[in-house]
Amino acid sequence: MGITREQRSVLRQLWRDGAQSRSGLHKLTGVAPNQVGVAASVLLEQGIVRECQARPSSGGRPRVPLEIDPAQRHIIGLTIWPGAVSAARLNLQGHLLGKPLAREVHGDPGRLVDAAAALLNKMRSEQTIGVGVSVPGFYDPKSRHILFGMIVPGQPPVSLSPVFEQADGLPIVVENDMHALAARWLLTHRAEMDQDVLLVNISDGALGAVLLVGGRPNRGCVSSANELGHMRYLADTSTCYCGQTGCLERIFSTEYLQHIGGDVGHGGALMERSARYDPDDEPLATLYGYLANGIVNVVNFIRPHRLVLVSELTRYPGVCDLLTRSIRSRLLGELVDRVRFDLWDQPVSHSAETAGWLALADLYYEGWHGASAGYSS
Ligand SMILES: [Zn+2]
């Protein structure tokens, strides 16, 4: 049985604001009282919600609050990455259950998919209600192929069919790893669905971006992150894996920092130099200038409600301040006070735990799966 609109409204409300009685759910969601009752009994029967201790009410029956049940059902997160696959179980409140399983796989990318399918087989049980799969680069949801060439040049597309077969009727959401990160941000920050959010993931030599429009990933012509890393400048960088030079993620790297003559009194990798930020480190400031410009161009173009910078850089106040000041000073004036800035220190996007949030996002927020997953018990 698929999940109904009323059930989803109830679930999203419980996710966002915690335990609530049936009458409270009616008031908060606008769903009619009898329909809240029907939705609640189905979700209770499926083990997706549970009843908490009754609270006394003024007259009439005591109110029994409902909450998301963390104990009965779970979802599975699966990640496929060049060289390794891993899988994890998360309960419906987003907590990791047990240790993730990981396998190293070398050679033909088809073997990665087979290994992922085998992990899914090992992890799934009667209590599994959905699967989130994160993949690198581009994914074509129509043909169900990962376009590996974006990450490993020369590799042909690889079919995800073995994973779909193993899911065997379970709702499955496949997205780029940056979308998985965005799903995790959206749910853990209880963000408003009606806001457009630009999330930018910054590390040494790798930049990712993702745009959420109305709480869902920007679809485009192929499923992928928004390729901020390949925004190009007239800069003399090494050749990017995309085949071009001057890509922003080649500029924002230790390699380019050293190339522009940064070693005089300022040795070390990009992140080390960022950690002990010295305002006289001009090559480092040049890199942050490029990065700020790239982000400013995108923000001016999109006009998001929120800009979320995701990086270990958020631990280093000096460069963090430099970057946010540079962005603000270059934004169109009308946007400066309208775009909200957030910083999020989050570990790597391509973990099985993060992939699991794709399935949770589809359960609570709907529309994360291009062809609508439709949850069943
Ligand atoms: Zn590139």
Side-chain angles (χ1 to χ4, degrees), residues 24-343:
L25 286 167
H26 153 63
K27 285 185 194 121
L28 291 164
T29 61
V31 175
N34 64 325
Q35 288 183 318
V36 168
V38 172
S41 60
V42 173
L43 293 170
L44 275 166
E45 195 184 314
Q46 293 180 343
I48 296 175
V49 303
R50 67 181 180 186
E51 289 184 325
C52 324
Q53 199 87 47
R55 284 195 294 242
S57 72
S58 51
R61 287 183 298 171
R63 291 188 176 152
V64 182
L66 298 169
E67 67 176 0
I68 307 274
D69 190 337
Q72 288 198 58
R73 311 301 296 267
H74 65 255
I75 55 91
I76 292 173
L78 199 58
T79 186
I80 299 175
W81 203 252
V85 294
S86 63
R89 276 183 182 173
L90 274 71
N91 73 13
L92 301 188
Q93 292 183 353
H95 299 295
L96 199 56
L97 299 171
K99 275 184 80 169
L101 293 178
R103 299 277 182 274
E104 276 190 36
V105 186
H106 299 288
D108 176 13
R111 290 175 53 200
L112 277 171
V113 177
D114 290 339
L119 282 186
L120 177 56
N121 181 41
K122 211 176 160 89
M123 281 264 179
R124 70 169 292 178
S125 76
E126 291 289 302
Q127 302 308 315
T128 308
I129 63 163
V131 183
V133 185
S134 79
V135 299
F138 288 0
Y139 173 69
D140 179 357
K142 275 209 180 100
S143 70
R144 295 178 171 174
H145 276 64
I146 308 173
L147 311 182
F148 259 108
M150 185 69 187
I151 293 289
V152 187
Q155 290 287 357
V158 177
S159 170
L160 258 191
S161 290
V163 170
F164 276 86
E165 279 160 27
Q166 205 51 253
D168 189 25
L170 280 173
I172 176 167
V173 182
V174 183
E175 289 283 358
N176 176 279
D177 61 295
M178 278 299 299
H179 284 164
L181 195 64
R184 190 169 182 173
W185 181 85
L186 182 75
L187 267 73
T188 53
H189 289 73
R190 268 79 176 162
E192 295 297 336
M193 283 280 284
D194 57 3
Q195 296 207 335
D196 293 348
V197 179
L198 175 68
L199 197 125
V200 178
N201 193 11
I202 305 162
S203 49
D204 183 350
L207 292 175
V210 58
L211 173 62
L212 298 179
V213 181
R216 294 173 187 113
N218 153 230
R219 290 278 166 221
C221 63
V222 66
S223 179
S224 165
N226 296 78
E227 298 296 341
L228 175 64
H230 302 283
M231 177 182 284
R232 293 179 60 209
Y233 289 89
L234 295 171
D236 175 27
T237 67
S238 60
T239 303
C240 182
Y241 68 79
C242 74
Q244 306 284 355
T245 56
C247 289
L248 187 54
E249 68 178 31
R250 292 278 62 74
I251 294 173
F252 197 76
S253 69
T254 297
E255 186 188 26
Y256 190 69
L257 184 61
Q258 288 168 351
H259 173 70
I260 60 174
D263 265 342
V264 190
H266 298 292
L270 172 54
M271 289 296 161
E272 280 167 45
R273 272 162 82 163
S274 298
R276 50 177 170 79
Y277 171 58
D278 172 356
D280 292 331
D281 188 345
E282 281 179 25
L284 188 69
T286 302
L287 261 61
Y288 278 91
Y290 274 110
L291 179 61
N293 268 340
I295 294 172
V296 164
N297 287 338
V298 174
V299 172
N300 283 341
F301 188 76
I302 294 170
R303 313 171 319 281
H305 297 89
R306 293 172 82 154
L307 169 65
V308 186
L309 300 178
V310 190
S311 179
E312 69 166 281
L313 293 175
T314 58
R315 292 172 223 158
Y316 314 140
V319 285
C320 213
D321 185 54
L322 171 69
L323 181 61
T324 49
R325 267 189 301 114
S326 308
I327 294 172
R328 281 190 191 281
S329 68
R330 297 171 200 197
L331 274 181
L332 289 173
E334 291 74 10
L335 297 181
V336 174
D337 294 325
R338 288 188 165 85
V339 180
R340 180 176 157 179
F341 280 52
D342 291 289
L343 303 173

